[in-house]
Amino acid sequence: MYAGVMPNTDVISFSRGAPSLDIVDTEGLKAAAVAALEADPAGVTGYGTSVGYGPLREWIAAKHGVKAENVLVTNGSMQADAFLFDELVKPDSPVIVERPTYDRTLLGLRNRRGELHPVRLQADGLDVDELEGILKGGVRPTLAHIIPNFQNPAGVTLSGEKRTRLLQLANEYEFTIFEDDPYYDIRFRGEQFPTMLEQTDLSNGATGRVVYACSFSKTVCPGLRTGYLVGPADIIAKIAAAATNTYIAPNMFAQATIYQFAASGALDRSIATVKAALEERVDQLSASLRAHLPNAEFIVPDGGYFLWVDLGEGVDCAKVAAAANDEGVQVVKGTDFVLEGGESCLRLAYSAVKADRIDEGVRRLARAVEASKGR
């Protein structure tokens, strides 16, 4: 070990969007797992069906005001993403993505050889004027991937007015909005906007223009790997057939545990715990950035797990990330979230760092920024 490297046990990680163990209700999960086994031992231990654990599917349908046939429960929301991309994105299919957007979204769409059209983000979400210009220019997308609440990585939220306009454009130009919404319940201040799914009629076999995805990873824990899709029944049925051929059925035990956790009221308590912790953490992160990196630019999110910071012209995020690693702090390069650009940016995940460690983490990051200038 050379000068400047911190012991592994002292690493402060702003790299992964996961809750720290202190805000995971492990006792509630133990009770839910026992309740699942006692209530439905055959259903929990059997293969089940590709659409997911029945009671949880019904619970999700009730939460979103749709029928069970509009819901598919999967092994995490990334599996849901993959199924939807396989259904709708063919080689050279035009796809709208946000700039920046989740790095694994870019990977999944590139692997399917989609023709990606990035649209910049503003403080109130996707630049709908830019999107409209692309559409009027002749691009006819199959899909628009949108993370509407506390976007990963930018932390911004799509305004109510822009949601309405986006739906109007989807109807006019006949593309599907993929409303990728794992952070919806993690709003700790400000106004909660209606989802685009809520503004779409899925009753009586209506086609609809929205497919919605969500996850229990951010509200319960990621280890149970449970996410879901809500959408038109015909699309859900096609994806269910693909799911059958992929894994027969998702994890019934995990999904039954989630169901018991939700039905007992533990989910509501868990969400309250997560929101309180994350609000404290993002406020501390914002204060520390202002104190130690005063030239950095960022928008303080009103929920979610991530803050996007622009360190300014002339800063190389790859060099910063390497120097930060030497200082014992982990960050993710902005270039991972865009097709081009992002060199001066970082994504900081504050969800896994306790508030009393954040200031030290930002101090280390500030040293790394300074050290990177000499590399």
Side-chain angles (χ1 to χ4, degrees):
M1 185 179 299
Y2 55 92
V5 176
M6 307 298 293
N8 288 338
T9 55
D10 193 40
V11 169
I12 298 172
S13 177
F14 293 114
S15 63
R16 173 155 282 189
S20 53
L21 183 59
D22 62 300
I23 56 175
V24 175
D25 181 6
T26 54
E27 292 302 316
L29 288 172
K30 287 179 188 177
V34 171
L37 285 165
E38 290 179 344
D40 187 13
V44 167
T45 59
Y47 275 114
T49 64
S50 65
V51 294
Y53 185 64
L56 181 60
R57 190 186 188 207
E58 294 281 356
W59 184 91
I60 293 167
K63 173 182 171 74
H64 292 287
V66 300
K67 297 178 181 179
E69 67 183 12
N70 298 116
V71 178
L72 179 84
V73 195
T74 59
N75 290 328
S77 63
M78 283 195 62
Q79 182 77 70
D81 295 5
F83 282 145
L84 185 64
F85 292 162
D86 284 343
E87 179 63 29
L88 296 184
V89 180
K90 309 305 178 188
D92 301 321
S93 295
V95 179
I96 301 297
V97 295
E98 297 166 313
R99 186 176 76 243
T101 192
Y102 183 37
D103 54 349
R104 293 183 187 271
T105 295
L106 292 177
L107 177 63
L109 291 170
R110 281 171 145 174
N111 285 345
R112 290 161 181 82
R113 293 169 52 201
E115 178 188 290
L116 304 188
H117 295 268
V119 177
R120 68 174 170 265
L121 287 177
Q122 299 171 307
D124 60 348
L126 188 80
D127 185 339
V128 183
D129 290 334
E130 182 181 335
L131 171 60
E132 186 171 13
I134 291 172
L135 297 172
K136 287 182 175 179
V139 174
R140 293 294 177 265
T142 303
L143 186 74
H145 178 267
I146 307 294
I147 307 174
N149 293 300
F150 324 119
Q151 198 257 11
N152 178 6
V156 301
T157 293
L158 188 67
S159 69
E161 178 185 353
K162 285 188 171 183
R163 293 173 195 232
T164 300
R165 285 192 62 200
L166 190 53
L167 283 166
Q168 291 169 345
L169 290 173
N171 286 322
E172 181 178 352
Y173 291 94
E174 299 184 339
F175 61 86
T176 296
I177 297 170
F178 180 25
E179 188 172 14
D180 193 358
D181 203 16
Y183 312 105
Y184 174 85
D185 286 315
I186 313 299
R187 173 177 285 280
F188 35 74
R189 54 183 167 234
E191 176 186 0
Q192 188 76 283
F193 298 111
T195 66
M196 287 176 282
L197 176 70
E198 291 176 77
Q199 301 172 64
T200 301
D201 183 12
L202 294 181
S203 62
N204 301 317
T207 300
R209 285 290 170 196
V210 177
V211 177
Y212 183 92
C214 198
S215 170
F216 294 97
S217 293
K218 310 305 181 185
T219 54
V220 181
C221 72
L224 286 171
R225 305 310 305 132
T226 301
Y228 60 87
L229 286 175
V230 182
D234 60 335
I235 290 180
I236 295 299
K238 291 176 183 177
I239 294 174
T244 300
N245 295 330
T246 300
Y247 50 37
I248 302 177
N251 188 324
M252 293 292 109
F253 191 10
Q255 293 187 11
T257 299
I258 291 283
Y259 170 71
Q260 292 292 342
F261 192 78
S264 72
L267 176 58
D268 291 336
R269 294 190 295 274
S270 176
I271 290 171
T273 297
V274 171
K275 289 197 296 186
L278 267 55
E279 182 174 19
E280 179 185 21
R281 293 172 190 189
V282 76
D283 287 347
Q284 178 60 65
L285 178 58
S286 303
S288 296
L289 286 169
R290 293 187 184 105
H292 307 307
L293 287 165
N295 294 325
E297 296 183 0
F298 57 91
I299 294 172
V300 183
D302 291 328
Y305 277 52
F306 305 105
L307 183 147
W308 179 258
V309 57
D310 189 335
L311 298 170
E313 188 175 350
V315 177
D316 184 331
C317 66
K319 293 180 179 179
V320 171
N325 190 60
D326 291 347
E327 291 284 350
V329 62
Q330 296 175 343
V331 296
V332 184
K333 306 186 302 296
T335 49
D336 290 357
F337 303 96
V338 289
L339 298 179
E340 295 179 345
E343 289 86 359
S344 63
C345 300
L346 299 173
R347 188 194 73 174
L348 302 179
Y350 48 84
S351 53
V353 187
K354 294 182 181 180
D356 63 1
R357 295 291 288 152
I358 286 176
D359 192 69
E360 173 59 23
V362 177
R363 286 177 184 272
R364 295 181 188 182
L365 179 58
R367 292 198 298 267
V369 172
E370 191 61 32
S372 72
K373 296 174 181 177
R375 292 194 172 207

